[in-house]
Amino acid sequence: MYANGPRRGMPIRSRTKKRRQQRSLAALLVLCLAAFACVNSSALDQGSSATSTSASSSAEGDQAAADGEVAAGDEAAAATTTTGPLANDSEYDGWVDPASAGNPWTSSVDGLLTFRGNPTRSWYGKGPVPTAPEILWSTPEGGGYCGESSVGGQSKTWCGSGWTGQPSVWDDEGTTWVAFGAYDKNIHFLDAADGSDLLPPFDMGDIIKGSVTRDPDGFPLLYSGSRADFHILATDRDAPESLWSMNAEEVSPTKWNDDWDSSPLVIDDYLFEGGENGQFYVIKLNRAMGDDGLVTVDPEIVFNAPGWDDELLSALAGSGSRQNDVSIENSVTIVGDTLYFTNSGGLVQGWDIGGVQDGQEPTRTFRFWSGDDTDASIVADAEGMLYLGQEVERSSSSERNAEVGQLVKLDPSKPDDPLVWSVPDDRGIWATPGLADGVVIAPTDGGRIIGADQETGEVLWEKQLPGPTWSSPVIVDDVWIQGDCNGTVHGFDLADPRVDPPELWTVDLEGCVESTPAVFDGRIYVGARGGKFYALGDA
């Protein structure tokens, strides 16, 4: 519930639209200033600090809105060509314009900023894609990113980066940053040019399995959790600093554990996140730039709720100790005014968040039980249809699992009968499906890759790669990039996604590629379980 009771203000839709209009005007002002600066090139600053200094100039500070919005400023407008609105720039009266599916998140920061790129989890990066990639650099030079962490009371060594592990990549004043969490328990901030540290690593206290989120509004902030706590990190200091952290036990009730695998979303100064404690959160960030030019936050958990219900627990009663495994490991998805997620009990749900900024509590408006653990994130298309993959783990609910299938399309506008189509797979799916011109691409735990018609679910083609294939498909400029568990990154030609895609190239890395690659400006960035993180590109 709301911590301090309902708040009142202008209606949510008009307020959201006003903020986005302010952002659009700010971006236009920045572009005009940039054009003026090009004409007066002698006025350009010749020095560029390696520390992220977005929104640090006085003009940008003046533009920062009272509720924490910041002008685009030093974060140049994204150069990526798009075919529709961007989620954070749209004039849509609501949280996320469904038409923004498949497009970058924002024009305020040029980059791939969260897992699968945008609030509908449907944008995969910025080309060009290298045509004959090779390893340009890898890090660390000796050994690997390794750490000790316990599973079921047994300590084990984890190396590299795993599922989901997609890096965030963005441009800041001509320097391309790459940020990711690894199994050495640190978040790393690298220079994309050579893999050197732009900032010292930040120790999160335990291994990081999920994908970090970079602030989409230009604030120098990074959001991430680990197997310990959730943190908001400032990147405008000599070393990253945690401005706020959250422990899984700070709310109740909770179930399962204290991991944070979900990659959060930030929209209009609100952060949306799910935890493996089974709760999902709405957090007012209250971002601002201080008098000293450094970013500040003053977060408030304004809403949290269990992602399970008694009906689900009853359905899972035959699961033994896993009856309470209702953790939220997938990343939340927002389309329209509805936030979607599912959990390890297979409860797919949608929550109406349309009144959050007006002090109204979110309410659940969609409920569908798929039958089994679902860690893959939900993907939404421009029509608001949902695509997800579920695993095959629970014998107690195998009948429901088999009834629903593993690759699934849902129509949430028909809550009583939302299943549009499904494709069965006897091993299940951990990877988040990708959408490519009317085709759904879904890697499976067994290495089977499914290419299905987006409208009908007809399987158009299949491939077999060394599994498990937990790395999610990345589709940029008609090239599908896919990691496998032999350590190979493949490039396939998707010029016609309805036919079996021919292979264009391969690059061999060390260790299983569980992490999802990031494509940005001619390079591919990805970690592997052998311990290292790689940049791939043309020589």
Side-chain angles (χ1 to χ4, degrees), residues 12 63 184 252 256 293 295 378 395 400 411 452 455 474 517 519 537:
I12 168 65
Q63 183 61 40
D184 67 342
S252 64
W256 205 238
V295 68
I378 296 170
S395 59
R400 175 61 176 173
D411 181 355
E455 290 298 318
V474 170
V519 175

Side-chain angles (χ1 to χ4, degrees), residues 215-229:
D215 190 275
D217 295 318
F219 286 93
L221 294 168
L222 195 86
Y223 310 90
S224 179
S226 70
R227 278 191 159 176
D229 299 328

Side-chain angles (χ1 to χ4, degrees), residues 426-442:
D426 60 4
R427 293 283 296 274
I429 296 172
W430 272 255
T432 294
L435 306 181
D437 293 331
V439 175
V440 183
I441 300 176

Side-chain angles (χ1 to χ4, degrees), residues 18 46 138 223 287 329:
K18 180 178 180 181
Q46 299 301 313
S138 64
Y223 310 90
R287 302 164 297 173
E329 298 189 48

